[in-house]
Amino acid sequence: MTADLIQQPQIWQLLMEAGPAGLAAVAFSPYENHSMIFEELRYGDEEDGLRGLENVIYDNSWLLSDFSKVRMLYDTLRVLPVPDTDDDAACDIFRRVYSAQEFPGSQVVVNHIPEQDMAICWEIPGDVLNFIRRTFPCVCMEHPIVPLCRYFSAKHPVRRNGKTLVNLRGKRLDIIVLGERAPLAVSSYRMEEPMDAVYYILASRENIGLPDTDEIMIAGDRITRAAITPILRRYVKYVMPAIFPSVMFRAGKASLSAPFELIVSPLVSPARSVVNYDSTKTTETCE
């Protein structure tokens, strides 16, 4: 059993990503080689987001171990990059785009990325957020695109014009385009087939006028990556797989199966997060 492999959870970290259909969970110890555990836990056919998340966590008690750090990525398309302004202004900008009336009781989370002069605002149902925070009191909450932004920009601190990272995760497509000094585009989309990904990638680049000599690096699902790479190469000269972070090889073979955004999360510090509670706010700083 998974729990039997985690003898000292106090020296382990737990990384999770809650999506529409299930929970991806990674546990590893930075002090033990080949320690990583990865499990893709699916919700039942009749379960909604909250009920599925509750059942998956309670049915896998190892997730409730006393880990040294816990980080939860929450997959939602109601996400918006904004200039790194104050929290109230960031939430106001988000609510001008995504009305609270569409999802009553939802909360806005602001992840600050000061090194990019940017914040990522996103929305989560209030009951889901409350359950996560009750169950994991010291959890760091982020949108999946946040660790991708921080890792990608740190990996390429010096760059000319645009450099594009594409992350393929099930039916979600993340696109990050870095300019010379700051991100030019940060967005997530849903796709039903590989050609949807091709369309969104090329449209994102065309909207900001990138030349065909810039690079596209693709991470995530291997099958979709293999399908879209030769098509993209008709329009962009340099299309290549994203380089797997070599430091994570020591975690073991499970690291090769885990989602890219979970693999790079331990390599970047968590973003400072602010949760907006109907005109009040709670700041969470995770170290």
Side-chain angles (χ1 to χ4, degrees):
M1 295 178 62
T2 301
D4 297 333
L5 302 175
I6 306 175
Q7 298 297 321
Q8 294 179 284
Q10 297 82 2
I11 63 171
W12 285 61
Q13 298 181 22
L14 177 64
L15 311 168
M16 296 175 286
E17 181 175 3
L23 180 76
V26 165
F28 79 104
S29 169
Y31 309 105
E32 300 178 17
N33 288 341
H34 307 290
S35 63
M36 183 171 285
I37 298 166
F38 167 59
E39 292 195 14
E40 192 86 60
L41 307 169
R42 311 297 294 182
Y43 302 155
D45 292 338
E46 302 300 322
E47 294 175 334
D48 60 22
L50 176 59
R51 186 181 308 163
L53 188 61
E54 289 175 333
N55 290 341
V56 156
I57 290 175
Y58 292 145
D59 290 345
N60 294 272
S61 59
W62 66 272
L63 296 171
L64 302 174
S65 302
D66 187 21
F67 292 101
S68 62
K69 294 182 180 180
V70 179
R71 190 184 302 198
M72 171 73 81
L73 308 183
Y74 188 79
D75 177 5
T76 173
L77 292 188
R78 290 171 71 88
V79 57
L80 185 72
V82 301
D84 194 20
T85 181
D86 67 83
D87 306 322
D88 292 333
C91 289
D92 182 62
I93 294 171
F94 182 86
R95 281 305 183 202
R96 290 174 183 269
V97 177
Y98 297 105
S99 170
Q101 296 178 353
E102 295 182 45
F103 292 93
S106 63
Q107 304 297 333
V108 179
V109 182
V110 183
N111 296 140
H112 291 273
I113 310 179
E115 66 271 25
Q116 295 181 7
D117 295 323
M118 177 178 69
I120 301 294
C121 302
W122 52 281
E123 191 177 53
I124 182 172
D127 53 358
V128 174
L129 176 63
N130 291 335
F131 167 72
I132 293 172
R133 297 185 71 181
R134 286 196 312 269
T135 309
F136 305 99
C138 296
V139 66
C140 297
M141 297 287 299
E142 294 178 341
H143 190 273
I145 212 163
V146 172
L148 291 171
C149 284
R150 305 194 79 177
Y151 173 77
F152 191 40
S153 62
K155 190 75 174 174
H156 302 280
V158 178
R159 49 194 180 262
R160 293 183 178 179
N161 299 323
K163 190 180 290 285
T164 302
L165 173 67
V166 174
N167 183 50
L168 306 166
R169 168 69 173 138
K171 291 188 175 183
R172 192 186 77 238
L173 167 71
D174 305 314
I175 302 176
I176 301 167
V177 182
L178 298 178
E180 293 184 8
R181 293 186 297 175
L184 300 175
V186 177
S187 52
S188 291
Y189 303 95
R190 285 281 182 263
M191 58 180 184
E192 295 297 327
E193 57 183 37
M195 284 306 298
D196 293 340
V198 173
Y199 169 79
Y200 286 125
I201 294 167
L202 294 179
S204 296
R205 293 173 56 84
E206 183 178 357
N207 286 341
I208 52 181
L210 293 183
D212 63 1
T213 54
D214 286 343
E215 296 176 320
I216 298 179
M217 285 161 280
I218 307 178
D221 184 75
R222 293 184 180 88
I223 295 176
T224 306
R225 187 172 63 199
I228 69 176
T229 295
I231 301 173
L232 289 172
R233 283 177 175 161
R234 300 175 192 171
Y235 306 95
V236 182
K237 291 183 179 180
Y238 303 104
V239 182
M240 61 202 76
I243 298 175
F244 187 89
S246 59
V247 68
M248 295 305 292
F249 278 122
R250 63 189 295 271
K253 291 183 179 179
S255 63
L256 299 175
S257 302
F260 190 74
E261 60 273 24
L262 288 181
I263 289 300
V264 302
S265 288
L267 306 180
V268 294
S269 59
R272 182 176 70 88
S273 300
V274 175
V275 182
N276 181 273
Y277 285 96
D278 299 327
S279 78
T280 66
K281 55 180 179 289
T282 301
T283 301
E284 304 171 334
T285 303
C286 304
E287 302 293 340

